[in-house]
Each structure stands twice: as structure tokens, then as C-alpha cells.
Amino acid sequence: MAHAPAQPTASDVPKTFRPYVPADQEPAELTFRAVALGSLLGVIFGASSLYLFLKVGMTVSASIPVAVLAITIFRGLSYAFGQRRATILENNIVQTAGSAGESIAFGVGATMPALMLLGYNLEWSRVMLVSVLGGLLGILMMIPLRRAFIVNQHGTLPYPEGTACAKVLIVGEHGGSNARTVFLGFGLGALYKLLMQGLKLWPAEWDHAITGIKGYNKAVVALEPDPTLLGVGYIIGPRIAAVMVGGGLLTSLMLVPMIAFFGEGVTSVLPPGQGARIADMSPGQIAGQYVRYIGAGAVATGGILSMLNALPLIVSSLAGSLRALKASEGTGDGASLETPRTDRDIPMWLVLLGTLGLVATIAASHLIPADPAGRIAGAFLIVLFGFLFVTVSSRITGVIGSSSNPISGMTIATLLLTCLIFVVLGWVGTEYRLIALSIAAIVCIASSNGGTISQDLKTGYLVGATPWRQQAAILVGALISAVVMGGTLIALNDAYTTVSDRPEDLPTALAPADLTTTVERDGKTYKEWRVTAPIDGALPGTYLVDENRKAVMIIDAGIGGRLEHTTSGAPIKKFSPPQPRLFATIIDGIMSGNLPWGLVILGGVLAIVVQLAGVSALAFAVGVYLPLSTTLPIFVGGIIRLLVDRARKLSPEESETSPGTMMSTGLIAGGSLAGILIALLIVFEGLGKALDFSIQKPGAEPEYLLPALGSFAVLAVALLAVALTGKHQSVEPGGKEEASLIEGP
């Protein structure tokens, strides 16, 4: 493959920086095996990240575990088949291509489920197009900014994950890796989850109601003994884990009991609740019909506050992007052949051509179902907001890392601005809700992927990679991962979708007379009634109605659904991440006005108060929205990390590559992939029942062979033992070349 023309000149390169692999050396780099392995790992970690996001509304960076696995797999192939040992630059290509899956999974999981909440079908073609276009657009928009952020601000923008990944690659080059610990966590997490939810040897949730206190009822303490949640808690650390569980405690032990207390004597149904008095509701119903709006307001405000906190970075990012574009003018094919290998990007003319091609595809596709003016306007907004927030994402990632990057806040801002523009122009029809969500989804994925490739390019800058080869690798990895993410999302939703004809699950109100969509089911024809907001006694959902306009069946989505049982009546816990519900709420609220603004404002005020108290409002708000059963095991993982870091006296940098972190990464990946396999047992209920070891008694709750808390305690102790006793391989191998890793320009 010929070298791509370079943009910068040799005189622009900082003189004091020396990458690990000098620019005058050209070891193997962009090889087929490196791109293939990276793409495969990207799909695996992308699918597991998507599952994780649907459970807890967040993902964790995949770059470091992918780099560790690349080193181990290539070394194993070398020993087993006598193949050439992979170079450090090949391992870097693997982690670059593999990192795309996780960032795309976040954007897809955060936005696409909102389609169902707005009354649309979750079509594979739409999800795939949004994933591909957003993923590729984020990469192309970041390429012109590489020199401004990665090169010229080396020593100013640390890019923490990118720097840590470079150190892991260098350690691997010197013969060390933590791969065994990652594989141990992967196997343990997968086995634990399969035994718990596949064979059902112990319950997948423990809860205890607090009773006997006058005026304080419907308070419930709950915990989901899940290896993915334990691993997430360890990785995000005690501070954020404590903030999240604080939000969960507020919901379960204050907001729900408080609403129950004040609603005890109310004989009517209080909006936005539907179908029952508060006194007759369960804690879960109160949380779902009232507290979720408070949580949505808190999440929206927290996202906006996180952007305001980063406002100085946003302003400087825009200035830096303009300088980068100015510096790239006049460069391209005519660049000097003497340009160092480590400074050659994909040429600007090709970047612009690719960007124009993607924008033309967006405007011509069914993503924007409008007239030509609407299509052009939508494409323009995608370019405008896309470049703005890719720039912001890259700069913020350089300062605080990917985990704290407020992508949700950027998506909220995109939605708010887009919907307001549509309202001013009078574009408030049903199709414009779909357009607004499509624009926000592409911008969300582009921003997420822009921050990811920034970390990758930082890693490459430190180890001495060729930028255009990295950029080509992540374009391939993003394309493959994006195609797979759509199918994974739809498969998970379908697996957890419930069909019910129980009277208590159906509305008593009659459906509208103008329904046109017909559905064939069980040899009968029904009209389809999609309800996206509480209306005339009908809760949100998709209903099948007979010729008398009476709802006879509900098809409850697996993501964002409200029923807690399968079609056969077995208990099930639906996916309910906060972001899709929030985005649907914003679109519906602005463009139709059908929103309980009072509860949303309460959530916004709560987020502001928390922020003023010096606590991360966004993390707290996510805790308010998610059930306590989800945030409590995350808190346990955070506490374990606190104990380990203090016992081993690890610095923050050492803790990021410690055995506990590697073990937790494996727990997340193994548990998440096992969760996808368990979805198959839900689809094939006969197989699931054959593997069910729980004791089912008619009219009673299932009985299990092992206790939930005891099983979770064994898992937690195993993580603690590995974290305390595992060998911690240094990420500072020493030597003059490695010292330049942390030198400023």
C-alpha cells in the first residue's frame, strides 16, 4: 500500500519529542491480520458495550483491554504456528480498529431506542445507516484536527486513556501483559451470569421492603448481583460510584416513599400517572410513572451543566479547529516526500470528498423523510453540529478522558437547537420528530467516535505510528462495527419484547377510529395502535385492537418497556437506559407540548442543587433515573477499588492498569456477552425452561438453590482477592525512549 500524501512539513514537528518507534523506521503496521483482529475485537466489545449501556446507561473504554488481548493473541499465534511476532505498531492498529465498536455502541444505544418511544419501528436499515454515517463522519471530521490537538498541544492535552494505552503497548513490547487476568475475569463473568440467568441457580435480583414505620411505606432496598455492574463500579472508581448510588437511594428511600405518603389519601388518578391511584401502585409503578420525569429533567440539566463546565474548553476547541483548518490549506498531494512517516495523514482532499459523500448519502436516504428543503436543512444541521461537537469532544477527551466526556449533553444541545429551529420554521409534523432524532443520533455517534479516535491518535503519536494508517484502520473497524450494532440492538429488543393479553395490562379506553396499520397475528387481523404518551387511560406501548376498537393485546418493547413478565408470565427485567427516554421526552415535549413540565423542572432544580454542592450532577441524575438495584452493585465495585488502591498504595495511573482493573474489564466483557447469549434462551423459551433449575410452584414466587447475596459476595471476594494479590506489571519499562512519553513539546 502506497504512502498517503502528508499534510504538515517536517519543520512543524516538535523537536523535543521522540516516539517509541522512530520516524525513520518502518516496521509492519497496517497488515491484514491486524485490521481483521481489530475489527473482530471491535465487534465483540461493541456488542458487549451495547448490552452494558442498555443495562446501566454507560460504557467503558475498550482500548486498553483490546491492546492487551492483541498482544496476547499475536504472541500465542507466534508460539503455536511459528508466525512472525507482531510489531508494536500492528498491536496499535488492532486497538485502533477495535476501539470503534465501543464508541458506536454508546451512540446507538443512547439514541435509537427513542424511535420506539416516539411510535416508530426499530428498523435495521435505519439503525445501520445512522451507525455507519455517524461513525465515519466523526472520524473524517477529526482528521484535520490531529495536529492542533495531538501534536501542537502534546504536553498540554494529556489524553489519559490514549497515554495509558501507549504505555500498555510498550510494556507488551518488553514482554509483559495482564492478559491472563483479563481472560480470568472474562471466564468468571460469563460463567457467573450463565449460572445465574441461564440455569437460574440463584435469583437475578434481591430486594427487601422497609415496613413497620408509620407514614413511610413503599421504600425498597434492592441489589442486582451482576458481574458487569460490579466491574463497572471498580473501573469508574469510588467517587462516581458513590454519587450514582446516592441518586438511587434518593429515589428508592425518599422520592418514591414521599409520593406514596402524599398520594395515600388521594382517591383520583393524578397525572401523569394512568390507570391506578397512587395508593394502589407498587414502588416500581410510582418510579416509572412519576419519578422517571424527575430523573429525565435531572439528566437533561446535568448534561447541560457538564457542557457549561467545559465552556472554556469548547471556546478554545473551536479556535484550535480554525487554526488547524487554516494550517491545512494548500496541502495535499503536493506535500513533500521528506515529511516524516509519523506525520502523514489521509490527504485533505480525500477527507473533504468523503465528508461530502456521507452528507449526500444522508440527504438522499430515508433518514430524513421530508421534502428537498427539509433534506438539505437536515444535512446542513448535521454538518454544523457534527463538526462543532466532534471538535468539542476531541478537546474535552484530551483533558478529562473519554469516561467523563459529556456526549449526552452534546446530544441534548443538538436536540434542543434542532427542535427549536423546526418549531420556528413551523415544521412540527410527525415526520420532523423522526428527522430531529436522526440528526441528533448521527451527531451523537460522530461526537463519541471523534473522542475515541483522538485517544487512538494520541496512542499512535506516542508509540510512533503512521497517522493515515491508523485513520484507515479505524474507518474499517467503524464500518464493520456499525453494521453489526444495528442487528445486535434489534435482536436484544426482540428477545425481551413481551406480548400480553392480561386485562390489567390493557387500557379500558377505545382506540381512535382512524387507525390504518393492520397486523396479522395468530391467524387474525388487528389494527395497530401506537401510544407514545399517556392518553385516555392508555399507557405508552403498542396495542393490537379488534374491530370494536378495543385493545386486546399489548406488544411491550424490550427496551423501555413497562411490563415485568414474559409472554408466558415468567418474570423479566426490561432494558431501561435513561438517555433514549430523555431524548424522546425532549422531542415530544418541545414539538407537541405534551409533557409534565412540573416534574421535569423538579429534576432540573435537583441537578442544579447537587452541582452547587460540588457533586457531579450528571452522575447523580443517572443514579436517580436508574433503579437502586443497578447502582448498588456498582457502588460495591467502587468500594472494592478504594480498598485495593489504599492497601496497595497505587497512584491513579497505576490503578488504571492494575490487576483489579484488568479483572473488572474481563467481568464486564464476559458478563455482557453472556447476557447476549441468555437473550437466546428468552427467545427460545422451551430451551430456557429445560435449563431452568429454579423450583416453580403454582401461584408462588420461584425458589432458588442458592442465595443471591451469598453468590454475589463470592464474586466480590474473588475480585478483591485478584486485585490485592495479582502481579502488577509496571507501565514504565524505563529507558530513554520511554521517558519521552511524558515530555512536553
Side-chain angles (χ1 to χ4, degrees), residues 144-489:
L145 306 178
R146 185 188 69 87
R147 287 194 56 79
F149 291 166
I150 307 299
V151 179
N152 296 339
Q153 297 194 53
H154 175 62
T156 302
L157 296 179
Y159 287 97
E161 287 96 339
T163 301
C165 189
K167 293 179 179 180
V168 169
L169 288 171
I170 293 172
V171 169
E173 188 72 0
H174 284 255
S177 80
N178 286 311
R180 284 191 299 273
T181 310
V182 174
F183 281 119
L184 174 63
F186 184 93
L188 181 59
L191 178 63
Y192 182 98
K193 188 109 175 185
L194 289 172
L195 293 178
M196 178 178 68
Q197 291 188 314
L199 303 185
K200 296 183 180 179
L201 296 181
W202 59 87
E205 184 169 344
W206 169 88
D207 60 72
H208 177 73
I210 299 176
T211 58
I213 303 177
K214 185 177 181 180
Y216 187 76
N217 58 343
K218 299 187 179 178
V220 177
V221 178
L223 180 143
E224 187 176 351
D226 194 298
T228 58
L229 304 181
L230 184 68
V232 166
Y234 193 98
I235 288 178
I236 66 175
R239 174 63 177 171
I240 299 299
V243 171
M244 288 183 66
V245 80
L249 291 171
L250 180 75
T251 294
S252 294
L253 303 185
M254 180 179 173
L255 294 180
V256 169
M258 185 171 65
I259 293 172
F261 175 78
F262 288 112
E264 182 68 29
V266 179
T267 58
S268 60
V269 176
L270 293 179
Q274 294 288 324
R277 300 182 307 118
I278 291 178
D280 299 328
M281 288 184 176
S282 67
Q285 290 174 322
I286 294 175
Q289 297 188 38
Y290 295 97
V291 179
R292 72 178 176 93
Y293 288 106
I294 299 176
V299 171
T301 306
I304 294 172
L305 289 174
S306 66
M307 283 193 63
L308 292 178
N309 285 339
L311 193 59
L313 290 179
I314 294 174
V315 174
S316 61
S317 298
L318 294 177
S321 66
L322 293 176
R323 289 194 300 269
L325 288 177
K326 184 177 180 180
S328 65
E329 290 179 359
T331 61
D333 285 341
S336 172
L337 294 177
E338 297 180 357
T339 302
R341 173 187 59 80
T342 52
D343 283 300
R344 296 171 183 162
D345 291 298
I346 291 178
M348 182 57 61
W349 68 267
L350 190 55
V351 171
L352 293 176
L353 183 63
T355 302
L356 290 175
L358 291 175
V359 172
T361 302
I362 293 169
S365 70
H366 69 292
L367 290 178
I368 303 180
D371 54 24
R375 291 173 181 267
I376 294 173
F380 173 77
L381 290 176
I382 288 172
V383 173
L384 175 64
F385 294 138
F387 186 74
L388 168 66
F389 289 124
V390 165
T391 301
V392 170
S393 176
S394 176
R395 182 63 183 268
I396 293 178
T397 298
V399 176
I400 59 178
S402 299
S403 300
S404 302
N405 193 7
I407 299 296
S408 294
M410 301 177 199
T411 310
I412 291 169
T414 301
L415 268 181
L416 290 173
L417 293 172
T418 302
C419 291
L420 289 174
I421 291 172
F422 285 2
V423 169
V424 170
L425 295 175
W427 296 350
V428 294
T430 303
E431 69 275 13
Y432 288 102
R433 300 185 184 192
L434 183 57
I435 295 173
L437 180 61
S438 298
I439 292 172
I442 293 175
V443 172
C444 177
I445 296 171
S447 303
S448 179
N449 224 20
T452 295
I453 191 176
S454 300
Q455 297 282 13
D456 294 334
L457 291 173
K458 181 66 173 185
T459 301
Y461 181 69
L462 296 174
V463 301
T466 309
W468 77 264
R469 289 171 174 156
Q470 274 194 281
Q471 293 154 7
I474 198 171
L475 283 170
V476 174
L479 179 62
I480 295 174
S481 294
V483 172
V484 175
M485 287 307 103
T488 304
L489 181 69

